[in-house]
Amino acid sequence: NALISGYVRHGYGVEALKCYKQMKLARVSSDAITFICALKACSLIRDVNEGQEIHTEIERTKFLEKDPNVGTSLVDMYAKCGILREAQDIFDELPLRDVVVWTTLLTGYMDHGLSAEALNCIEMMESDNISPNVFTYLCALKACCSLRNIKKGQSLHSEVVKKGFDGEALIGNILVDMYSKCFSLPDAQEVFDKMPTRSVI
């Protein structure tokens, strides 16, 4: 696991998967960390075929029920490989869905240009009583940018302020961008003026 995760951490997906296969050949049993790292390796190199084989092994060993992080990694792998239907199906089957797995799915939709689905995700998440984090809001605001949906953007902006996330530089940047792209320059200027730090972005 240390070797596989080391390769993944440094971006060597192919080498990480070779290690995973050697581990299987040596008949060493995989645990949750093994599966999580192997799935990250598949995500890195967009190898959905290997990911599907690991998915089969996870189902055989019932690790989806044992560790929620394995489910999140599976959703992430399929989303990064553009197989969003499968990502959604796994997500729907998860016994527990936390903010991390919701954000993973939302990001997957956003990364593949499915902004409306990403916004639908955040609405379903809120109805599931899961509180979004900074990364969830970033992704949702990007979706508003893409759709020029100022009404939803303003609603998310209010939530961001209530939760105290408006001081985050990344949130400030995306809010300025969102209001600018929605042709609401006075709002963009107001956000800009209130930012504690302003970068070149």
Side-chain angles (χ1 to χ4, degrees), residues 107-121:
T107 304
Y109 279 124
M110 191 59 222
D111 287 347
H112 292 279
L114 299 166
S115 304
E117 287 82 350
L119 283 186
N120 186 45
C121 249

Side-chain angles (χ1 to χ4, degrees), residues 29-40:
S29 296
S30 298
D31 64 8
I33 301 295
T34 319
F35 288 129
I36 290 164
C37 291
L39 288 167
K40 279 183 184 170

Side-chain angles (χ1 to χ4, degrees), residues 1-106:
N1 281 355
L3 194 55
I4 295 167
S5 68
Y7 276 128
V8 169
R9 197 162 49 249
H10 294 283
Y12 297 105
V14 173
E15 290 78 358
L17 288 176
K18 278 182 188 170
C19 273
Y20 171 71
K21 286 174 185 172
Q22 286 173 345
M23 184 175 169
K24 282 175 72 181
L25 287 171
R27 301 194 177 185
V28 176
S29 296
S30 298
D31 64 8
I33 301 295
T34 319
F35 288 129
I36 290 164
C37 291
L39 288 167
K40 279 183 184 170
C42 296
S43 297
L44 271 174
I45 60 172
R46 305 294 190 262
D47 189 342
V48 75
N49 294 324
E50 188 62 40
Q52 286 169 325
E53 284 185 32
I54 295 166
H55 183 185
T56 303
E57 184 68 13
I58 287 165
E59 287 192 331
R60 189 186 67 77
T61 51
K62 302 197 184 308
F63 263 93
L64 268 180
E65 297 152 33
K66 294 176 191 173
D67 192 315
N69 295 316
V70 173
T72 301
S73 297
L74 258 179
V75 171
D76 184 57
M77 185 276 295
Y78 280 116
K80 288 219 167 84
C81 292
I83 317 293
L84 289 156
R85 182 67 262 165
E86 189 65 29
Q88 182 72 59
D89 287 346
I90 291 158
F91 176 87
D92 291 341
E93 288 170 19
L94 293 176
L96 291 169
R97 295 192 287 260
D98 62 8
V99 65
V100 177
V101 75
W102 272 105
T103 305
T104 300
L105 184 64
L106 195 152

Side-chain angles (χ1 to χ4, degrees), residues 141-160:
L141 285 164
K142 279 181 189 173
C144 293
C145 249
S146 174
L147 296 166
R148 307 292 191 264
N149 187 340
I150 193 166
K151 195 172 178 183
K152 183 63 180 173
Q154 286 168 326
S155 170
L156 290 169
H157 185 183
S158 295
E159 288 179 37
V160 160

